[in-house]
Amino acid sequence: MRARVLVRPKQGILDPQGVAVERALPALGFKGVSEVRIGRLVELEIDNPAELDAISSQLLANPLIEDFEIELLEDAPAT
Amino acid sequence: MRARVLVRPKQGILDPQGVAVERALPALGFKGVSEVRIGRLVELEIDNPAELDAISSQLLANPLIEDFEIELLEDAPAT
């Protein structure tokens, strides 16, 4: 089934990319944007969605500084 | 309101990060994962969600090689 893993910098961890975006926006004429956080989006096709948690913490995210969230994109039953 | 921009490599564009993850998985004991694509996840707070399309194409994504998708995370009416 199709799944998505959202990887975000943990709360309290500095996010330099987000800071850079937030600072660049006013110069482009966009006001009123705040709390920009930039993470990774991983989309994949997986036979056994039960493995996603282990895959995410071992390979996709760095649990010291990142949180991850798993979204299953099809309603096929998880095994 | 809270919004999310998903930035993905365009179909047909090489995604070296995704290839690397896909190749690493069998060595970690995970089979049955394919079509791994890695993109960026941008989450932000924005006063005027109507600006998100322009912000995404000018600053968050490179439209030559990336697609983006906007998700509004709260049900406040867009202005």
Side-chain angles (χ1 to χ4, degrees):
Chain A
M1 73 181 304
R2 197 86 197 141
R4 179 187 283 174
V5 181
L6 306 174
V7 181
R8 306 181 173 89
K10 269 186 201 289
Q11 203 71 28
I13 296 281
L14 191 66
D15 173 20
Q17 287 186 90
V19 172
V21 165
E22 206 164 318
R23 287 191 186 155
L25 283 167
L28 293 172
F30 301 107
K31 319 281 183 200
V33 179
S34 60
E35 292 177 52
V36 182
R37 302 285 281 175
I38 299 189
R40 284 193 305 287
L41 166 71
V42 184
E43 290 177 319
L44 46 77
E45 189 71 37
I46 186 165
D47 291 345
N48 181 4
E51 294 181 332
L52 265 179
D53 199 77
I55 289 174
S56 299
S57 60
Q58 288 179 44
L59 190 63
L60 304 181
N62 176 348
L64 290 175
I65 58 169
E66 292 169 330
D67 288 320
F68 62 88
E69 179 185 347
I70 293 167
E71 291 182 355
L72 301 179
L73 300 181
E74 286 160 33
D75 51 355
T79 55
Chain B
M1 74 181 304
R2 197 86 196 139
R4 177 187 284 174
V5 181
L6 307 175
V7 181
R8 305 180 173 91
K10 268 188 202 286
Q11 203 69 30
I13 297 280
L14 191 67
D15 173 20
Q17 287 185 91
V19 172
V21 165
E22 206 165 316
R23 289 193 185 152
L25 283 167
L28 292 172
F30 300 108
K31 319 282 182 199
V33 178
S34 60
E35 292 176 51
V36 182
R37 303 285 282 177
I38 299 190
R40 284 194 304 288
L41 166 72
V42 184
E43 289 178 318
L44 45 77
E45 190 72 35
I46 186 163
D47 291 344
N48 180 3
E51 293 182 331
L52 265 180
D53 198 78
I55 290 174
S56 299
S57 59
Q58 287 178 45
L59 191 64
L60 304 181
N62 176 347
L64 291 176
I65 58 169
E66 293 169 331
D67 289 319
F68 62 87
E69 179 185 349
I70 293 167
E71 290 181 356
L72 301 179
L73 299 181
E74 287 160 32
D75 51 356
T79 55

